[in-house]
Amino acid sequence: MKRPIYLDHHATTPVDPRVLEAMLPWFSESFGNPASRNHAWGWEARDAVDKARRQTAALIGANPREIVFTSGATESNNLAIKGLGWHARHNRMVTCQTEHKAVLDPAEWLEEELGFEVERLHVDPDGTIALDELEEALQQPSEIVSLMAANNEIGTLHPLDEISRICRRHGAHLHVDAAQAAGRIPLDVKALDIDLLSISGHKLYGPKGVGALYVRAGLREKMEAQMHGGGHERGLRSGTLNVPGVVGLGAACEIAAAESDAEAERLSALRDRLLERLTAELDGVHVNGLLAPRLPNNLNVSFEGVDGETLLGKLDGVAVSSGSACTTADPQPSHVLRALGLSDKLAQASLRFGLGRSTTAEEIEQAADQVIAAVRRLRALSAVGSART
Ligand SMILES: *Cc1c(COP(=O)(O)O)cnc(C)c1O
């Protein structure tokens, strides 16, 4: 069976062959525990982890001592939000309706377990927040602001420089979920004045099950670990490090730092070509989220007059995501598209395209052919259906 064209790079990315090659020796040849201080097996593993820490820090302009390795962005977000929430001076947090569940759920936990007040900012129909609403929300002293760098569904970018300035002015800590942005757009935690930032290995051509949290120097003393036992990662995240995973994350970060500018240019041209074909050859195509600035590899569109699930069923040659969260038997329209004000019907009739390193111009033409044909077929069928009734 021929596998469909993979245009779902927001869900996950393949491990880059160069990353895999860097990881392999650390499974069996050099299997030491970096916490073993008394022999060469431990020392070489510790050196490998140190190198990965420098590579990861370099991607985001951090100091290596500010990197905490975790199991992924979900854990990094939990550590940032709950870890800071635990010793909070102000039981108040500000986030946004379009954040990932890995931010919204820890925020809800603070609300339920620590009695926090959580304000979830609204977005405009193009997915952007109003900065004066953030300013307004921070009139009440708040401990944490958590706003993502780039949205995983609609690719919208939050203006982090202005957001951090507002947070600083009101004495709130800023956490940024950068799972989609890291390695795709430039990020500099010092220039942007960010306190905490989450990264995921498998979203940037590294392995699954590894990630990092950047913790600004001086802030870890105000945080509570979420995993206890052994005091690894200078007390903030106990547990023997996943050395092959950490090495892979480091290699992935180094490759992204070297190649992402050129890759962003290539992918945004392909993405623009895809959009151009869809809008030229179909009526009733809506782009979800502000078109620019946006992640270079993202396109999210709704198609009037089609049923999303049926459309996805017809698109067996293209691997994409739809605008409904299929986590339950009864698919719910995406909370992000709903926050933009889309009707449930239009939200469900949407597709998220996520282009990536392996995506070619030819694949984009083929994917466009298939989407256009499928939408036309479904619309023709529903016209016949409604003519009969
Ligand atoms: C994928 C993703 C996560 C979760 O990352 P994991 O490493 O899979 O836990 C969190 N936030 C965003 C924005 C994501 O895209």
Side-chain angles (χ1 to χ4, degrees), residues 21-226:
E21 198 184 336
M23 291 171 68
L24 286 175
W26 301 98
F27 283 100
S28 51
E29 260 166 65
S30 306
F31 59 85
N33 185 333
S36 299
R37 310 238 165 225
N38 302 315
H39 50 70
W41 300 92
W43 303 333
E44 66 178 7
R46 194 192 51 200
D47 288 349
V49 168
D50 286 348
K51 179 181 174 191
R53 208 182 292 282
R54 289 193 298 273
Q55 291 167 314
T56 305
L59 178 67
I60 56 169
N63 185 302
R65 286 175 65 82
E66 296 170 312
I67 298 296
V68 176
F69 289 118
T70 66
S71 64
T74 301
E75 188 190 332
S76 295
N77 290 350
N78 273 267
L79 176 56
I81 294 168
K82 296 180 190 168
L84 204 53
W86 195 259
H87 298 296
R89 299 152 301 159
H90 311 295
N91 279 2
R92 191 174 142 82
M93 169 174 173
V94 177
T95 181
C96 177
Q97 291 183 344
T98 53
E99 289 295 310
H100 193 274
K101 293 287 182 196
V103 163
L104 294 175
D105 288 356
E108 199 176 310
W109 188 90
L110 291 188
E111 216 167 31
E112 283 167 7
E113 303 298 326
L114 298 185
F116 263 59
E117 183 181 272
V118 177
E119 183 158 345
R120 298 166 184 84
L121 300 174
H122 297 93
V123 291
D124 288 339
D126 64 8
T128 56
I129 56 165
L131 291 172
D132 54 352
E133 267 179 46
L134 174 64
E135 188 99 50
E136 178 71 31
L138 293 179
Q139 294 305 318
Q140 285 168 266
S142 307
E143 191 71 26
I144 314 165
V145 171
S146 183
L147 291 168
M148 69 206 324
N151 189 277
N152 52 296
E153 291 192 32
I154 55 175
T156 315
L157 310 182
H158 281 324
L160 294 176
D161 47 353
E162 290 167 276
I163 288 170
S164 76
R165 235 174 288 138
I166 295 172
C167 291
R168 195 66 52 221
R169 199 152 60 229
H170 295 277
H173 294 111
L174 175 60
H175 166 250
V176 172
D177 178 349
Q180 293 292 336
R184 292 199 173 116
I185 57 169
L187 283 174
D188 186 317
V189 292
K190 300 298 171 199
L192 292 168
D193 201 10
I194 290 168
D195 295 306
L196 297 149
L197 181 135
S198 304
I199 294 179
S200 169
H202 73 101
K203 302 287 176 74
L204 70 148
Y205 305 90
K208 294 172 180 65
V210 68
L213 179 66
Y214 153 77
V215 182
R216 178 204 286 277
L219 190 55
R220 59 169 68 217
E221 289 71 25
K222 297 185 187 169
M223 292 173 66
E224 184 64 31
Q226 300 300 300

Side-chain angles (χ1 to χ4, degrees), residues 106-365:
E108 199 176 310
W109 188 90
L110 291 188
E111 216 167 31
E112 283 167 7
E113 303 298 326
L114 298 185
F116 263 59
E117 183 181 272
V118 177
E119 183 158 345
R120 298 166 184 84
L121 300 174
H122 297 93
V123 291
D124 288 339
D126 64 8
T128 56
I129 56 165
L131 291 172
D132 54 352
E133 267 179 46
L134 174 64
E135 188 99 50
E136 178 71 31
L138 293 179
Q139 294 305 318
Q140 285 168 266
S142 307
E143 191 71 26
I144 314 165
V145 171
S146 183
L147 291 168
M148 69 206 324
N151 189 277
N152 52 296
E153 291 192 32
I154 55 175
T156 315
L157 310 182
H158 281 324
L160 294 176
D161 47 353
E162 290 167 276
I163 288 170
S164 76
R165 235 174 288 138
I166 295 172
C167 291
R168 195 66 52 221
R169 199 152 60 229
H170 295 277
H173 294 111
L174 175 60
H175 166 250
V176 172
D177 178 349
Q180 293 292 336
R184 292 199 173 116
I185 57 169
L187 283 174
D188 186 317
V189 292
K190 300 298 171 199
L192 292 168
D193 201 10
I194 290 168
D195 295 306
L196 297 149
L197 181 135
S198 304
I199 294 179
S200 169
H202 73 101
K203 302 287 176 74
L204 70 148
Y205 305 90
K208 294 172 180 65
V210 68
L213 179 66
Y214 153 77
V215 182
R216 178 204 286 277
L219 190 55
R220 59 169 68 217
E221 289 71 25
K222 297 185 187 169
M223 292 173 66
E224 184 64 31
Q226 300 300 300
M227 194 71 81
H228 302 95
H232 305 74
E233 295 299 272
R234 291 170 49 227
L236 212 47
R237 201 277 191 176
S238 286
T240 301
L241 283 175
N242 166 8
V243 177
V246 162
V247 166
L249 174 62
C253 287
E254 185 173 316
I255 293 169
E259 301 181 356
S260 62
D261 286 355
E263 182 67 354
E265 214 169 296
R266 189 184 78 87
L267 291 182
S268 60
L270 291 180
R271 185 268 316 279
D272 293 346
R273 169 67 185 163
L274 176 61
L275 176 61
E276 183 189 299
R277 284 210 49 200
L278 296 179
T279 50
E281 296 173 49
L282 292 170
D283 294 326
V285 177
H286 300 267
V287 175
N288 296 316
L290 190 66
L291 204 47
R294 125 179 337 234
L295 277 181
N297 68 326
N298 173 278
L299 181 64
N300 190 313
V301 282
S302 295
F303 302 94
E304 275 176 29
V306 299
D307 175 68
E309 287 303 301
T310 322
L311 176 60
L312 217 51
K314 290 262 177 286
L315 272 180
D316 52 4
V318 190
V320 288
S321 283
S322 77
S324 46
C326 301
T327 46
T328 57
D330 172 32
Q332 293 294 313
S334 120
H335 72 280
V336 174
L337 298 179
R338 263 188 171 160
L340 302 186
L342 261 69
S343 66
D344 285 2
K345 197 166 157 37
L346 207 51
Q348 264 157 347
S350 75
L351 296 178
R352 176 187 71 179
F353 298 91
L355 286 60
R357 231 170 247 174
S358 62
T359 306
T360 63
E362 192 189 347
E363 283 182 333
I364 289 300
E365 299 304 331

